Amino acid sequence: MIKFENVTFKYSDTNFAILENVNLTIPAGELVLVVGKTGSGKSTLLGLINGLVPNFTGGDLTGDVSVNGRSIREFPPRDFADLVGVVRQDPRASFVTDLVEDELAYGMEQLGIAPSTMRRRVEEVLDLLGLAELRNRSLATLSGGQRQRVAIASVLTTNPKVLVLDEPTSALDPSAAEEVLAAIQRLVHDLGLTVVLAEHRLERVVQYADRVIVVDREAEVYADRPAQVFASSLLAPPVVELGRTAGWSPLPLTVRDARKFADELRTRLEKSKPRIRVNVATKTLVSVENLNFNYGNLRALRHIDLDISDGEIVALMGRNGSGKSTLLSQLVGLLEPTSGKILVNGKNPLTLKGKSLIESVGLVPQEPTDLLIADSVINECIASDSDSGAVPGTTFNIFEQLTTDVSENSHPRDLSEGEKLSLALAVVLAAKPPLILLDEPTRGLDYAAKRQLVSSLQKLGKKNHTIILATHDVELAAEVATRVILLADGEIVTDGPVNEVLSSSPMFSPQVSKVMSPANWLTVSDVAFALEDLR
Amino acid sequence: MPSAPRRWHKPLSLTEQRFLHSGAWWLWAILLAAMAAGTKNPIFLLSIIFVVLLVVRFRKSDAPWSKSIKGYLFAAGFVIIFRILLVIITPDIFGDTLLFTLPEIDLPSFFAGVKLGGEIKANTVFFAFQEGLRLATILVCIGGAQSLASPTRMLKSIPAALYEVGLSIMVALTFAPQLAFDAKRVRDAQYLRGRKTTGIPALAKTFVPVLEGAMERALLLASAMDSRGYGRRIHQSAFKRKLTNIFMLGGLLGILLGLAGLLGVFSQSNIGLLTMILGVALSFFALRFAGQNASRTKYRPDKWHIPEVLVITTALFGLVAMRFTENIVLNPLASPLSFPQINFITLSSIWVSVLAITFSPKPPLTSRPATDLFKASNQINRQAA
């Protein structure tokens, strides 16, 4: 269905080829997963399928890509509209109209499809993706999962043969992600659609993949069965790593496969216990009393009571829109509570401004680049030093500890997601705030960048910084958190130590916990540590 | 390929929830604005404003564009106040009812004829109020149309040749709230870095990132639209394209000249009417030609049904009645000052327009009402208790 022949591609402002001599054939009806580090060329590969790269990005292409015999050298992207549907990470950026039904029809209108056919296809696709009840809704009022399904539906109405999805679930909470992935899988099974999907959170998608394409700038791009790829790949979901650590063969790819081996591992670890991650608390740093907050007549937070001590790493979890980000904004004084009291380090965050604010609390927003203002890494660091009154060079030193090999002259926008996050975190840390807040820090991070983040956060915790993360990423929470708070509809549903909360929740339990239950293990590193001890 | 079964085109009942044709709302509002343009009687004008506000209150949808009426009301208030202030600063001398006297300021000789301050007569203030109110009423009518008619549905009703223009307006409409959101994000980030968020330097610093974000989004949207087939067209010969352009330009020129003629710029009004007709005809042909160019189809375009016709008809009564109303009633004299006369037939004809509420269908909801959610969750809580 899709053919890459001797494809070499180079962006015009760089002097290295991002893809080199790629030869791939993707047969019809397969679900293909594209994996690779950030910046390895996954998005470029996906963009080539309908010619958006190089038509919209510029750059030099040699070789040829064709879909169903139609070559991107001969036809512009718009002539692929009836063949390839493209859905991106944030569908809001690609919505053209304002109502669900109109958005579904947009592509067909452009292709000049007869009104009666349009009507029928819209109805079919609404049913296929379970959107019938949302047909009259305004796109702005949809939840994350619904929005993503509408985006998929809107490209399906033109009856494409190929669906290209670039990180469709990275902004979604676990249940919304499952809702989207289930829809995608149904399309593959029922319609025989060919799906090409890039995703960092492999634990969510590996079980659906027929084949995996590995994109790596240093090595040849190749495609293979998932089992073969993950036997050696550095990028692997936790369940695969658990299999490697425990020496299981054949390597399990899914929780279901792994549970067959779990009995053996549980008996091996009968006498061991997971490491307990508790830092000795000396004082209460954050105290929240009966906090309420309304957006208009929507009650975003209700009766929040909370005490957090220094050295705690708290994961705030819950659905999209459950109030996680709102709570973080309250703690940093961006929003004023409707009623209730917040004290951070003994002070009301609303009374803090300027230097006194950044010395008490720092927030890394969902989009870390928001925080960055300068045109190069070094200027950013200098600006940050002067903002916080730190000794010149402080921010840059912190940045160098958080990441490796970044030229100080590069533009913050050109950094990889992980490096951007490190820079924003360094800026925040320069003022030495005792409380650090991170909003969805692992969005767009690959496993290597995530590992780096985990170790940085653990080090900060040991230095008795208090960290609060709002996150959908169960694996991250399992790795670093000492305490987990589950929010739903603006209320605290559960608040407890990480082991208890995560292992008992079906939606928010990490893969290792699913494999090892009823034993209470959360992460591969805990298991590896215990196995090491036994030896 | 099988065609859609007929049952999807079920006959429309008057009460079925749907969007009334955007064109119908605009015509209704334009007719009301035309009424306003023909009178200075405050009672008639206020009646028109109330009619528009009532209809908007009961027939606006819950989409964001429905809130635009508020902005227009502010603008209307501003226009009235500004017009009155203007006469207070530079009063005319006519009239006999003295209100108060302002200190007079002598201006240099090259401002001859302009007078600041002096005696303020109630007559001039009333005259200014009438004029301001008329303009304000027209503004409210336009605001009403914008709140009642969805801009996206309007896009479906315009000729294919104007599709691009309409689309860019629509994209701009969705971009505006996004820009505000971006500006807030950037301001928040500045606050988080302990920087000032007020004052001109801070404002300047938000400007660049917001613009950058807008550019980036524009590019993303462009590529998304392209990959969804935007811009696929049947090719047309260069000659035909040129002909279309000439017709279009000529047509628009004709309409402009015609308008000027109808408003009495030329001495002979027949010229105005003739150029108007010619202009409309030329534009019509241009749109027809260009329309052949586009290979697009329209999904469920709004259709004209009985409610549309009825809604427009309601606004015709007032206009017709005003043709037969004496000038002294339509344009009350400011000097001597007197309470405006009312013709009850005209007044009630204006109020017939409010029947648009009963004739038009309710618009469907486009967002889930938040209150319902909480009602539901409260019920659950009560059951749990």
Side-chain angles (χ1 to χ4, degrees), chain B residues 21-222:
Chain B
H21 196 293
S22 309
W25 279 131
W26 271 101
L27 266 175
W28 177 83
I30 287 172
L31 287 175
L32 280 166
M35 275 183 230
T39 178
K40 277 197 278 190
N41 189 327
I43 296 179
F44 290 161
L45 291 173
L46 285 174
S47 295
I48 295 173
I49 292 182
F50 277 122
V51 165
V52 172
L53 290 183
L54 273 172
V55 175
V56 168
R57 162 71 183 77
F58 287 105
R59 281 299 173 263
K60 72 173 184 173
S61 90
D62 57 348
W65 42 262
S66 280
K67 295 187 184 108
S68 48
I69 185 75
K70 267 188 200 157
Y72 280 88
L73 275 177
F74 274 117
F78 176 77
V79 161
I80 297 175
I81 293 168
F82 185 76
R83 186 69 185 81
I84 292 177
L85 279 181
L86 211 65
V87 288
I88 289 183
I89 297 170
T90 63
D92 269 323
I93 2 175
F94 83 93
D96 47 13
T97 321
L98 183 68
L99 218 50
F100 52 87
T101 313
L102 281 179
E104 205 166 319
I105 301 165
D106 284 322
L107 287 177
S109 59
F110 54 84
F111 278 127
V114 180
K115 198 170 71 103
L116 286 186
E119 292 184 333
I120 310 296
K121 307 268 175 55
N123 311 73
T124 42
V125 172
F126 179 67
F127 182 77
F129 169 72
Q130 283 186 327
E131 292 220 308
L133 185 64
R134 182 167 63 178
L135 195 56
T137 310
I138 294 174
L139 274 176
V140 171
C141 288
I142 296 172
Q146 282 207 2
S147 299
L148 289 165
S150 152
T152 38
R153 302 198 76 78
M154 192 70 196
L155 185 65
K156 288 188 175 179
S157 315
I158 62 175
L162 295 179
Y163 181 83
E164 268 86 6
V165 182
L167 187 69
S168 36
I169 292 172
M170 213 184 73
V171 169
L173 279 176
T174 54
F175 256 56
Q178 199 65 48
L179 280 184
F181 182 71
D182 273 2
K184 189 185 170 298
R185 245 180 42 185
V186 173
R187 250 202 340 271
D188 284 357
Q190 280 181 338
Y191 166 85
L192 290 176
R193 288 197 60 166
R195 293 172 168 234
K196 274 190 140 177
T197 52
T198 48
I200 290 169
L203 207 68
K205 274 189 189 128
T206 42
F207 194 65
V208 175
V210 167
L211 218 62
E212 247 177 27
M215 279 300 287
E216 224 162 89
R217 228 192 335 274
L219 278 176
L220 261 177
L221 184 65

Side-chain angles (χ1 to χ4, degrees), chain A residues 50 52 56 77-82 84 88 93-99 101-103 105-113 115-123 135-138 141 154 297-299 302 332-334 349 352-355 357-358 363 367 370-373 380 383-384 387 413 427, chain B residues 1-5 8-9 19 63-65 150-153 156 163 167 170-171 174 178 184-195 205 209 212 216-217 219-232 295-300 364-368 370-371 373-374 377-378 381:
Chain A
N50 73 341
L52 280 179
F56 269 83
R78 51 180 168 270
D79 285 330
F80 284 85
D82 55 342
V84 182
R88 280 181 253 222
S94 43
F95 284 151
V96 190
T97 64
D98 63 348
L99 291 180
E101 213 179 331
D102 289 343
E103 188 63 26
Y106 178 79
M108 292 190 290
E109 288 180 329
Q110 304 308 313
L111 299 185
I113 289 168
S116 57
T117 315
M118 281 204 271
R119 192 67 215 266
R120 183 171 51 81
R121 281 203 203 155
V122 166
E123 300 300 326
R135 63 186 309 157
N136 286 325
R137 286 271 293 276
S138 151
T141 65
S154 69
N297 55 11
L298 187 89
R299 296 177 68 184
R302 289 186 259 181
V332 73
L334 272 174
L352 301 172
K353 284 268 158 351
K355 220 175 127 199
L357 173 79
I358 57 177
L363 168 71
E367 205 55 68
D370 282 357
L371 217 49
L372 309 177
I373 43 178
E380 195 66 63
S384 156
D387 281 349
R413 215 182 7 214
V427 165
Chain B
M1 196 154 292
S3 65
W8 270 325
H9 300 289
F19 288 106
W65 42 262
S150 152
T152 38
R153 302 198 76 78
K156 288 188 175 179
Y163 181 83
L167 187 69
M170 213 184 73
V171 169
T174 54
Q178 199 65 48
K184 189 185 170 298
R185 245 180 42 185
V186 173
R187 250 202 340 271
D188 284 357
Q190 280 181 338
Y191 166 85
L192 290 176
R193 288 197 60 166
R195 293 172 168 234
K205 274 189 189 128
E212 247 177 27
E216 224 162 89
R217 228 192 335 274
L219 278 176
L220 261 177
L221 184 65
S223 71
M225 281 167 62
D226 204 86
S227 63
R228 288 174 68 185
Y230 173 76
R232 300 226 302 197
S295 57
R296 267 179 230 101
T297 45
K298 285 175 187 164
Y299 175 73
R300 297 179 81 184
L365 289 178
T366 63
S367 67
R368 181 181 41 190
T371 45
L373 233 172
F374 285 102
S377 71
N378 283 341
N381 287 344

Side-chain angles (χ1 to χ4, degrees), chain A residues 9 11 18-19 43-59 61 65 72 77:
Chain A
F9 182 79
Y11 285 106
I18 190 146
L19 296 172
S43 296
T44 309
L45 188 87
L46 295 188
L48 279 166
I49 294 177
N50 73 341
L52 280 179
V53 177
N55 273 300
F56 269 83
T57 57
L61 170 73
V65 182
I72 66 163

Side-chain angles (χ1 to χ4, degrees), chain A residues 200-216:
Chain A
H200 280 307
R201 298 205 182 156
L202 297 175
E203 66 269 17
R204 288 180 173 176
V205 290
V206 162
Q207 66 257 42
Y208 303 117
D210 294 311
R211 280 202 311 163
V212 178
I213 294 176
V214 183
V215 184
D216 189 340

